[in-house]
Every structure is written in C-alpha cells, then in structure tokens.
Amino acid sequence: MTSTRTAAIDRYAPDETPVAIDLADNTNRWGSPPAALRVLRDTAPGAIARYPDAYSTSLKAALAAYTGVEASAIAIGCGSDDLLDAALRAFADPGDRIAIPVPTFSMMTTFARLNALEPALIPLDASFDVDVDAVVAARPRLVYLCSPNNPTGTLLPRATIEAVLERTGAVVILDEAYAEFSGVSAIDLVARSPRLLVARTLSKAFGMAGLRVGYAVGAPTLVRELEKARGPYKVSAASERAAVAAVTEDLGWMRAHAELAVGNRERLAVEMRRRDVDVISSAANFLLAPVADAHTFARRLRAIGVAVRAFSGLDGTALALAATRGSALRITVGPWPEMESLLAAFDRVRAACE
Ligand SMILES: *Cc1c(COP(=O)(O)O)cnc(C)c1O
C-alpha cells in the first residue's frame, strides 16, 4: 500500500512531552517579535475565509528590502523545509545524485529519499570544511551546503562555496537558517551565479517557528521553477501578515536578541570548556558539545527539566568528535538564567554518572 520511498524512512518523532527549559530545537528562547504578535491579535476574522496570496507577494517585497535583492529573486515557503523539499523536485529527476556533506541537517537526506534522489554523503574534513574534490567526484546534480552548519555550528569558507559552484555543474542549495547569528551571508553570490539558491527561515533569529515561514533567494529563473515545484497557497494569510510586520518593523528586536544569543553562546562555551567539554566553536545560536553516551545523558537532563538534542555516530573526521566517536549534545543558547539552569543540570547528571 505504501510507496517504497515512505516505507524507507521514519516519521519525524521529536520528544514533545512538556519540559521546563527546552534547548532542543534552536528556536528563539526570547520569544517572538512584538509587531508579529500584534498583527496576529488584530487579524480580522473576515480575512480567514479567503485564500491567502498564492505566492506571498507582500512578504517578498518586505524580504527584498531586508536582503537587498529584487522581489523576483525570492520564493516564500511553509518554512524553509518546504523550499528545500521543493528544490529537489525542481532541479533534479528521480535517480539523480545529491551531494550532502555530513554531519548536517538530517532532514535533507530524508527529503532526498522522499524525492527519489540518491544522497551521496560526504564527510566534512577535520576542520569542518567541505571536501570539494569528493563532491566533484560524486558528479552530483544537486549539492546541499549548510552555513552555519547544523549541528556543528561551523561556517563554510566563502571560497568553498565558490569552488563547489565553479567545479560542478550542479544547482547548489546553501542553507543559511542561522545566518543572522553569524553576520555572514553568500546571498550576494546569487547575482553572479544562476545555479545558487540560498535558503533562509524566520524560524530561528526571527522567533516565528510556529508560523512556518521560510524563503529562498536565487536567480529569477530558478525561483520560478522552485515555485512551480512548491505549489500555491503554502503560507497562511496570518503567517504572511505577521512575517511582513516582523521584517519591516522589528529588525531591531531580531538583531538585539541575536546579539544576546551570540554573547551567551561565548559565555556558555567558556563554562563548558572549564568543565573539560571540548565544545566546537559556533557561529550559530547553539553549541555542539562532544559528550560520551549523549542519548543517555540527554534523557537524564530531560528528567530534571532541561531538554537538549542528542546525537550519536556523527560522521566526519574532526578530532573533537572523534574523541567521543560522534556522540554529542546540541544545546540551544537562550537567556543566561536558562544557561545557568542547564549548567547546574549538566553538573548534576555528570556527577551521577561518575
Ligand atoms: C531550523 C532549520 C531550518 C528551518 O526550518 P523551517 O522549516 O524554516 O522551520 C532549516 N535548515 C536548518 C539547517 C535548520 O536547522
């Protein structure tokens, strides 16, 4: 009854039981932009009986001003997940190969399988950079890059992105879900490369994960094909209005809280290293902390009120991860009192393990 594609994957199953401090999904621990909340409160009930704008024209205009590109170079999606998934249908055919440097956002491998593509998983090198020779050797139709990368938090050098574009004929999907925390973006490369698509989201720095809004920036010809593969009416009217308000009125709110996240991330890194945990230097709003037996550790943390994301068997050749054979905790950075609670819980669990 089921397709071989869905039969081959698991349903996404995050632990959704309530927890006092949830540092597991990299969303904004300071909340949401006030202008977005105001718009949601004020949205007229009459607006809800109608379909939204098919491709979110007013949000494109707002994001054009924010990113500095033309509105015709922007596609909007139901979260950036929607656009990452649609890109696989727009720019590759069943059986084609997609190169995915790992470890990275695991949904990408799932989307590849759902779209009948063949993922070529290519380990990141010892400095968390992409092995461009291996990507070229895979002869991919598509390449997925993520910078800052989830779950390592590491940035890709701009030269790596350029080399992948120059040395392959592939469409390159660059996931910049955490760009606001790094202050770095390759969106300007879109003007030079008709094969680069940059995916962004309002789920992280903009604090709107529950509204499901993402966008992608690329050459207008690329964006057209992406919108065909995505389909119309993917973003609700309420989400679009709230997103427009956030992007036009509340950039100050977003930037101030991204800055707080960066400051607390560095403070947390110092505290973790003081505990002999060799956290990886991060450019995002989370830290990857190599810890033995991460799943057990995370279960014990959760039992005392703090959720983090556990990973095991993370691929790659980086020394920091080799020491625990790819076992690590990914910790979302939030307000400092939450970080203090996390550290206290971490110390309790570690003491109980010894
Ligand atoms: C969180 C995240 C996303 C965002 O997904 P949305 O569907 O926009 O909520 C995309 N890519 C990466 C790497 C992420 O970590």
Side-chain angles (χ1 to χ4, degrees), residues 10 40 74 119 144 164 167 226 246 256 288-290 340:
D10 293 323
L40 287 176
I74 299 177
Y144 173 78
V164 171
R167 295 183 56 200
L226 182 61
L288 191 67
E340 283 181 328

Side-chain angles (χ1 to χ4, degrees), residues 25-27 77-84 104-106 144 146-151 175-178 199-204 208-209 212-215 286 330:
D25 64 8
N26 301 338
T27 49
C78 178
S80 54
D81 278 7
D82 184 24
L83 295 164
L84 295 170
T104 196
F105 189 45
S106 60
Y144 173 78
C146 190
S147 180
N149 185 44
N150 179 3
D175 190 337
E176 289 192 340
Y178 301 97
R200 292 280 196 89
T201 181
L202 301 195
S203 295
K204 306 290 161 54
M208 299 170 65
R212 312 301 303 126
V213 184
Y215 60 103
F286 56 85
R330 192 193 63 199

Side-chain angles (χ1 to χ4, degrees), residues 130-138 167:
V130 169
D131 180 346
V132 180
D133 289 336
V135 169
V136 172
R167 295 183 56 200

Side-chain angles (χ1 to χ4, degrees), residues 16 49 56 95-96 113 120 144 167 196 223 257 286 322 344 350:
E16 289 171 332
S56 310
D96 282 344
R113 297 216 166 98
Y144 173 78
R167 295 183 56 200
L196 177 62
V223 161
H257 291 93
F286 56 85
R350 205 148 71 156

Side-chain angles (χ1 to χ4, degrees), residues 111-148:
F111 290 145
R113 297 216 166 98
L114 280 173
N115 286 288
L117 303 186
E118 188 191 316
L121 305 182
I122 296 168
L124 290 168
D125 73 14
S127 53
F128 298 102
D129 197 358
V130 169
D131 180 346
V132 180
D133 289 336
V135 169
V136 172
R139 298 164 47 81
R141 181 99 180 255
L142 284 169
V143 179
Y144 173 78
L145 302 175
C146 190
S147 180

